[in-house]
Amino acid sequence: MTSESTKLIFVGLPSSGKSTFIAALWHVVMFEPLDGSLRLNKVEGNREYIEALHSSWIKCEPVSRTQGSSRQMITMGLKSVEAGPVITVVFPDLAGEIYDEQWRDRRWSQEYCNLVEGTTGVVLFLHAEHKYKPDMIADYASIIREDMPLDEEETAILPQYDPDKACKQVKMVELLQFHLAQLGQEHALRVAVVVSAWDLRQDINQIEGHDLTPEHFVEQEVPLLYQYLRANPEKVVSKVYGISAQGGDLETDKARLQDEIQHVNLIHVVSSDHISSDNFHDITEPLKWLMQ
Amino acid sequence: MCRQKSCNVAQDGLCAEGYNPVTLCREYIPAGEQIDEPDAEGIYLDTEKAAGITDDGSREPDGIFFSAEVVSGLEADNILRSSLTRLIVIAGSPDSGKTTLVASIYEAFNKGLFAESMFAGCGTFGGFEKRCFTARLVSERSIAETERTLAERTVRFLNISTRDNELAEPVQQMLFADISGEIYQNAQVNSEDAGMLRFVSRADHFVVIIDAGKLEDLSLRQTELASSISIIRSLLDEGFLRDDSYVDILFSRWDKAKASTEVEKIKRFVDHIKSKLHTDFAQKVGRLRFYEVAARPELSVEPPYESILPPLYNLSEVFQGWVNDSPLSKRIWFSSPTRSLSIDEVVEDRRQRRLQ
């Protein structure tokens, strides 16, 4: 596979960190490239929107995601510093609502089909603080029985199944299955799994006294996806990254973050190649891996 | 050429279904004939959606539809033909725990490995999620339940793929056929309904669920025994179960039996059921196994809200048998379980050819 044909697509449910990632990515490819990082070649779509995201990012303010009917689709052309081939990176919907719809309606529009045609790699977003496994009644019986005694439940109006209430890891695997089914790869599809807000997970790691790698996070917190990726090496080649695109909590750490002279240092990337997040800030690393 | 995408008859002259000569295969298209437009990728929700017809009759823009809540008979046929697949047919009286059993296996994979197998995919996520909803906190219930299968004369298929944890074997599709209680009851005495179970002849495992929780009731327990005998006998008479069929008898809700004050009586009756079924059928089928199981044992009403048995009691062993064992490698089988069979459709076992 040559990089001339590299086309990557970003997939993730709402609030999984895609907007913050693109803001940080924009910063690296446009303003503070690092040795070996990708550079911007061109951008299509709502450039003003990206720049608005970036503006919030450099002020260390929350990067607000788009909601409602206006879908922000962005396409970037990136290249390595040696003026090599350009890769195309597509963000079909930064808000992620399109993926909720794909799960619920089990349908791709023709527009989306055209958009993903030729895709060679997927960046799959997870959020370090989201709940992906289902919570079972049996595991919380003592709490919920006290909260609602059995006789009260008999008269309560209880909700019925709604596809929106399916657990997140099921949605993630299904979205991946859709893409694998349609992309018709001659070779295994490359999937970079990005666990966003990784700094929040590392705080928990320190409190709990253990060292959880991004792979272990997926194994423990998103076990269905972890198994699916492991069980299908013929169809999927994957790598997991823990990425902090903000560098910290915007409420409690804002002063420290704003004090950083080189904002690129706020970005932290952890993977099996870069175990320590302290020294590695190249947010284009997952994209470079997908180019291989 | 062949309508099946996986068949290379156009290149190597060999039929993927094993027909020789290849002209016997119904999918074979002689040179010079027009090939039908291939189906789009994916599984369609229903034929109207596949045609892009919306609920108000207008036409949707072109697109692709995926997956179904439950796999239809035709789609089950396609899965069985296209890949290494285990068909597990589960029968039992209404509310005997058939759906809970399959749903619990799915929930086990949601937590991690199960029965030394990894989850490798699912073609019916919507169906599983719907069935598991009332056992989850999000349902706002305080007692885990399983949504009842609709009382209709249908057979629904749920699909899940698994793979051994060591990656020593390829991905294996599992198709679970959930026979509605109505068909189960009618098929015991009605040849038309028994005919709906023709696909059992393709089953790798035929499973009869006996609700052990009902065996305490002296007015119900004989019915449970009679039903299990009737369904097996009916399917043997129709030729859908054969002398090499694998049959499992699962005594579900074993936690309720164990918790009963009449547990010894229940155990004696279970032994009677085992003895009776063994006497009547052990020599007529390829394998007959018995298990006491509890897919989702009930929690005590009072604190500490614990169950008398662990979740998925004995199901790991049962499931491993479903994954690892099959009578089909020993027999000539028919290419489609949902079509009428004919002498012309006898083929060599695909699994034997794959192993060669």
Side-chain angles (χ1 to χ4, degrees), chain B residues 283-303:
Chain B
Q283 300 302 315
K284 295 180 180 175
V285 297
R287 189 175 80 179
L288 186 63
R289 302 190 306 177
F290 299 94
Y291 286 95
E292 291 87 25
V293 299
R296 189 191 298 142
E298 287 184 1
L299 303 177
S300 58
V301 177
E302 299 297 326

Side-chain angles (χ1 to χ4, degrees), chain A residues 102-103 105-111 113 132-146 148-150 153 157-163 165-167 169-171 173-174 177-179 181-182 184 219-220 222-235, chain B residues 40-42 45 49 60-69 106-114 117-126 129-130 132-145 147 162-167 171 296 299-305:
Chain A
Q102 288 181 3
W103 154 259
D105 301 335
R106 328 206 68 67
R107 176 179 176 270
W108 278 8
S109 66
Q110 193 60 51
E111 181 186 2
C113 293
Y132 287 93
K133 291 186 290 189
D135 286 320
M136 307 305 294
I137 290 171
D139 297 333
Y140 294 88
S142 58
I143 299 170
I144 58 179
R145 292 273 178 96
E146 288 170 17
M148 181 190 281
L150 295 178
E153 181 171 318
I157 299 174
L158 299 169
Q160 301 304 308
Y161 174 70
D162 178 346
K165 292 190 167 78
C167 70
Q169 65 176 357
V170 164
K171 295 181 185 181
V173 173
E174 184 73 294
Q177 289 189 139
F178 288 173
H179 285 79
Q182 287 308 305
E219 182 179 7
Q220 287 185 11
V222 203
L224 202 69
L225 176 65
Y226 179 80
Q227 292 173 78
Y228 182 77
L229 294 173
R230 269 204 66 219
N232 292 285
E234 298 88 356
K235 292 197 289 189
Chain B
E41 297 276 351
L45 187 60
K49 283 225 182 256
E60 283 271 20
D62 289 338
I64 299 175
F65 293 90
F66 291 91
S67 198
E69 189 171 299
Y106 170 79
E107 289 287 23
F109 281 118
N110 265 277
K111 292 183 178 179
L113 299 181
F114 174 66
S117 292
M118 287 188 287
F119 169 84
C122 178
T124 55
F125 267 130
E129 287 293 298
K130 189 174 182 180
C132 294
F133 176 72
T134 48
R136 295 178 177 172
L137 275 189
V138 70
S139 72
E140 299 181 20
R141 287 153 174 82
S142 54
I143 296 179
E145 298 171 344
E147 183 179 287
T162 64
R163 194 166 190 178
D164 68 289
N165 194 32
E166 305 302 319
L167 300 178
V171 171
R296 189 191 298 142
L299 303 177
S300 58
V301 177
E302 299 297 326
Y305 307 115

Side-chain angles (χ1 to χ4, degrees), chain A:
Chain A
M1 177 187 313
T2 63
S3 294
E4 287 89 349
S5 61
T6 302
K7 180 177 176 181
L8 310 178
I9 189 161
F10 279 51
V11 176
L13 296 175
S15 303
S16 54
K18 300 183 295 299
S19 297
T20 309
F21 184 96
I22 190 175
L25 176 67
W26 184 252
H27 185 80
V28 171
V29 301
M30 267 288 287
F31 298 100
E32 281 194 86
L34 299 163
D35 286 343
S37 69
L38 299 175
R39 264 70 161 160
L40 180 70
N41 188 60
K42 67 173 181 178
V43 65
E44 295 174 9
N46 193 338
R47 183 169 180 145
E48 283 182 2
Y49 181 70
I50 300 180
E51 290 178 347
L53 292 178
H54 180 251
S55 175
S56 298
W57 187 83
I58 56 174
K59 292 183 211 171
C60 300
E61 291 174 356
V63 174
S64 60
R65 67 183 189 90
T66 301
Q67 291 178 321
S69 60
S70 172
R71 292 225 166 108
Q72 299 297 335
M73 190 192 79
I74 311 291
T75 302
M76 280 190 202
L78 303 176
K79 62 183 180 181
S80 60
V81 69
E82 294 81 22
V86 175
I87 68 167
T88 304
V89 181
V90 181
F91 301 81
D93 174 30
L94 284 177
E97 290 162 355
I98 194 173
Y99 298 111
D100 266 343
E101 290 171 9
Q102 288 181 3
W103 154 259
R104 189 172 54 245
D105 301 335
R106 328 206 68 67
R107 176 179 176 270
W108 278 8
S109 66
Q110 193 60 51
E111 181 186 2
Y112 191 85
C113 293
N114 297 338
L115 191 65
V116 303
E117 187 178 349
T119 296
T120 57
V122 172
V123 184
L124 194 69
F125 278 83
L126 306 174
H127 193 284
E129 283 196 314
H130 285 185
K131 182 79 176 173
Y132 287 93
K133 291 186 290 189
D135 286 320
M136 307 305 294
I137 290 171
D139 297 333
Y140 294 88
S142 58
I143 299 170
I144 58 179
R145 292 273 178 96
E146 288 170 17
D147 187 49
M148 181 190 281
L150 295 178
D151 55 352
E152 284 186 24
E153 181 171 318
E154 291 173 7
T155 56
I157 299 174
L158 299 169
Q160 301 304 308
Y161 174 70
D162 178 346
D164 289 340
K165 292 190 167 78
C167 70
K168 279 194 163 89
Q169 65 176 357
V170 164
K171 295 181 185 181
M172 297 306 299
V173 173
E174 184 73 294
L175 290 173
L176 195 52
Q177 289 189 139
F178 288 173
H179 285 79
L180 283 170
Q182 287 308 305
L183 294 178
Q185 302 291 323
E186 291 181 4
H187 309 282
L189 183 70
R190 287 195 153 231
V191 176
V193 181
V194 170
V195 183
S196 64
W198 185 248
D199 54 299
L200 300 178
R201 172 51 62 170
Q202 285 192 308
D203 290 343
I204 296 173
N205 289 347
Q206 287 171 2
I207 291 170
E208 296 180 351
H210 55 63
D211 214 5
L212 188 72
T213 66
E215 288 85 1
H216 289 150
F217 170 85
V218 177
E219 182 179 7
Q220 287 185 11
E221 302 299 329
V222 203
L224 202 69
L225 176 65
Y226 179 80
Q227 292 173 78
Y228 182 77
L229 294 173
R230 269 204 66 219
N232 292 285
E234 298 88 356
K235 292 197 289 189
V236 182
V237 176
S238 63
K239 191 169 182 177
V240 185
Y241 296 85
I243 292 182
S244 172
Q246 282 179 168
D249 189 302
L250 295 181
E251 289 186 7
T252 59
D253 291 338
K254 188 169 182 175
R256 177 183 67 81
L257 299 174
Q258 288 179 327
D259 199 42
E260 177 60 58
I261 294 174
Q262 288 184 285
H263 261 49
V264 71
N265 292 334
L266 297 180
I267 302 168
H268 299 284
V269 179
V270 177
S271 69
S272 56
D273 299 321
H274 302 278
I275 299 172
S276 169
S277 67
D278 293 339
N279 300 317
F280 196 69
H281 311 289
D282 184 2
I283 201 170
T284 70
E285 185 67 14
L287 310 184
K288 290 191 295 182
W289 179 78
L290 287 169
M291 289 170 65
Q292 294 176 10

